């Protein structure tokens, strides 16, 4: 059995993968927006193509946990669009290429709680921040303490207004030469523009949107570790949230990190668009249930994770939104710090977002009463899952 090997090699040594993504795969449903192939890919199965690639040289993993991959990766020159095939198999895809459902939403929700699912989040934003001052820059522009992080580590950080109203929460990976921010699809352009606005003349910082040249998959569920074992990357199991490692699949880079945008149980996979089809087929070949964006939204709500434009609005500051784990309370000056400090010092948090399981149907905006008398909040967002109705609510003291 092939396994991964660590090498004490210089950063210039190509990243390679030994055993992962080796299994024979059936023909799964493949995300439309990264079904691309190069002219050198044969029509053989994923396993056969990978084995053929392995015969040309060693397949290894770098000892550098977070070398600075450039991610300026050009997609292959030939588009291979399987949208007609996907439609024939029942996969529903939006006009902008987002997989809405695999027609298995209830199964996917159940597997997210009991097994493992894979979701394509390639429509989510991915921002790459580079330059000598990138650590200090993001330290000052967001709520997390980036100065205490080393390469190969990660965290969640909130992007806020000067009055501490939450714009978004980003999942950050600190690499050797860059920091990658995973953000909501509705805020990516706003956040990129906001960061660029605060780059001053002498700041050595560059901000790049890498969404068009990368793909993002996430694994969610208690059996995610089993997948890591099968892929031969078990050294990530048990590592802290945000820890990430770099590999290569078929000569193309992939970064795998602990945790995902809404849960610390699972993994995130960031890769070039050229590698996406092969990786997706391999994961589906391991009998992992795919989850569409509609089921993902329901699962996100069930996990109590706020989202921009829905629960993260100008009505809530970052503390009311419950983003405490993304905020450093002992670091230096940063945007929104004055408001956050005042709220904490004077016990100014008067309302919170929380999750409720309801006994019956309701509508967003409906008031919440205690003992049928005193109004204590309103329903901000709700959905039905299995036999219950769940909601994210705004509750006051």
């Amino acid at each position: 059995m092939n396994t991964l090997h660590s090498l004490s090699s210089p950063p210039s040594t190509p990243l390679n993968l030994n055993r992962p993504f080796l299994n024979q795969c059936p023909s799964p449903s493949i995300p439309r927006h990264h079904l691309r192939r190069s002219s050198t890919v044969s029509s053989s199965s994923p396993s056969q193509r990978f084995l053929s690639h392995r015969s040309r040289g060693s397949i290894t993993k770098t000892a550098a946990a977070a070398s600075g991959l450039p991610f300026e990766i050009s997609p292959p020159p030939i588009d291979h669009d399987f949208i007609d095939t996907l439609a024939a198999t029942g996969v529903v895809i939006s006009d902008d290429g987002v997989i809405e459902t695999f027609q298995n939403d209830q199964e996917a929700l159940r597997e997210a709680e009991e097994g493992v699912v894979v979701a394509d989040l390639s429509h989510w934003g991915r921002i790459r921040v580079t330059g000598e001052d990138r650590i200090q820059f993001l330290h000052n522009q967001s709520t997390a303490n980036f100065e205490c992080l080393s390469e190969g580590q990660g965290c969640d950080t909130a992007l806020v207004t000067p009055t501490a109203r939450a714009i978004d929460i980003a999942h950050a990976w600190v690499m050797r030469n860059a920091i990658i921010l995973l953000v909501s699809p509705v805020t990516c352009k706003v956040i990129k523009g906001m960061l660029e606005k605060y780059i001053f003349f002498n700041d050595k910082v560059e901000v790049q949107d890498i969404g068009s040249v990368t793909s993002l998959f996430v694994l969610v569920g208690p059996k995610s570790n089993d997948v890591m074992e099968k892929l031969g990357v078990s050294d990530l199991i048990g590592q802290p949230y945000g820890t990430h490692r770099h590999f290569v699949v078929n000569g193309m880079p992939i970064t795998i990190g602990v945790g995902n945008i809404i849960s610390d149980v699972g993994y995130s996979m960031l890769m070039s668009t050229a590698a996406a089809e092969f990786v997706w087929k391999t994961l589906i070949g391991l009998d992992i249930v795919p989850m569409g964006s509609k089921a993902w939204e329901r699962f996100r709500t069930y996990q109590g994770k706020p989202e921009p434009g829905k629960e993260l609005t100008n009505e809530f500051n970052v503390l009311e939104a419950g983003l405490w784990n993304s905020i450093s309370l002992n670091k230096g000056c940063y945007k929104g710090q004055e408001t956050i400090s005042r709220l904490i010092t004077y016990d100014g948090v008067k309302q919170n977002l929380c999750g409720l399981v309801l006994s019956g149907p309701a509508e967003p905006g409906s008031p919440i009463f205690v003992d049928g008398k005193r109004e204590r909040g309103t329903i901000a967002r709700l959905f039905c899952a299995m036999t219950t109705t769940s909601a994210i609510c705004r509750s006051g003291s």
Side-chain angles (χ1 to χ4, degrees), residues 141-213:
Q141 295 300 319
S142 67
T143 60
N145 188 345
F146 279 89
E147 292 183 343
C148 71
L149 297 177
S150 302
E151 63 176 89
Q153 296 180 323
C155 68
D156 287 341
T157 188
L159 287 307
V160 301
T161 68
T163 57
R165 300 293 172 173
I167 299 173
D168 200 356
I169 180 170
H171 184 55
W173 285 342
V174 178
M175 300 181 179
R176 176 173 298 177
N177 298 318
I179 298 175
I180 303 296
L181 301 177
L182 308 179
V183 299
S184 167
V186 301
T187 62
C188 184
K189 290 183 179 180
V190 172
I191 291 173
K192 180 177 181 291
M194 181 185 70
L195 293 177
E196 290 174 333
K197 177 182 177 181
Y198 285 96
I199 299 175
F200 297 111
F201 180 73
N202 291 325
D203 290 341
K204 297 179 180 179
V205 177
E206 294 183 5
V207 179
Q208 179 186 11
D209 183 346
I210 61 171
S212 63
V213 294

Side-chain angles (χ1 to χ4, degrees), residues 116-143:
V116 59
V117 298
V118 57
D120 171 28
L121 298 187
S122 297
H123 59 291
W124 281 63
R126 295 174 293 286
I127 297 173
R128 183 173 185 259
V129 183
T130 58
E132 294 180 16
D133 299 328
R134 64 190 180 279
I135 296 290
Q136 184 64 45
F137 177 74
L138 286 177
H139 186 84
N140 294 338
Q141 295 300 319
S142 67
T143 60

Side-chain angles (χ1 to χ4, degrees), residues 51-70:
L51 286 171
S52 176
H53 176 74
R54 290 181 66 245
S55 65
R56 302 191 190 109
S58 62
I59 301 184
T60 56
K61 184 188 82 172
T62 69
S67 63
L69 293 179

